[in-house]
Amino acid sequence: GIQLYPNPAQTVAFLDLTAVADETVDIQILDQTGRMVKMLHFDYAPAGATTLELRNLPTGVYFVKVQTATQQLVERLLIQQW
C-alpha cells in the first residue's frame, strides 16, 4: 500500500507512492466534511516519497485519497499547526 508520514503532521507530510509507481495517480486531500482542499495529479507516479504541502491547512483531521485506474486508497491524516 501507500505510506503517509509523519502523522500527525505540521507543515508538510510525505506520501510514498512506490506501490503505484508509473501509474496515473490523483491525490486529493479532503477535510472532515468531504470537501477537497488540495489536489495533485501525476501521469506517472514517482517511486518514493512525494511532498504534500500542508502549510495553509488549519489543524484538524483530513483524509488523503489516492486514486489510480485500478484502486482507491484512503489514509487519515491529522494536521497540528502550532
Side-chain angles (χ1 to χ4, degrees), residues 38-64:
K38 189 175 275 278
M39 182 178 174
L40 294 168
H41 173 83
F42 296 100
D43 285 326
Y44 300 96
T50 296
T51 303
L52 301 178
E53 183 61 53
L54 308 173
R55 192 174 319 275
N56 298 326
L57 298 178
T59 294
V61 175
Y62 294 82
F63 297 93
V64 179

Side-chain angles (χ1 to χ4, degrees), residues 57-77:
L57 298 178
T59 294
V61 175
Y62 294 82
F63 297 93
V64 179
K65 184 165 92 170
V66 178
Q67 178 87 46
T68 71
T70 58
Q71 60 184 328
Q72 176 176 297
L73 306 160
V74 178
E75 292 285 332
R76 186 176 174 271
L77 174 65

Side-chain angles (χ1 to χ4, degrees), residues 8-19:
Q10 192 173 351
T11 57
V12 26
F14 301 97
L15 186 62
D16 189 331
L17 296 173
T18 302

Side-chain angles (χ1 to χ4, degrees), residues 28-37 59-63 77:
Q28 296 179 353
I29 300 178
L30 309 170
D31 68 12
Q32 284 184 296
T33 68
R35 183 176 62 93
M36 185 173 58
V37 294
T59 294
V61 175
Y62 294 82
F63 297 93
L77 174 65

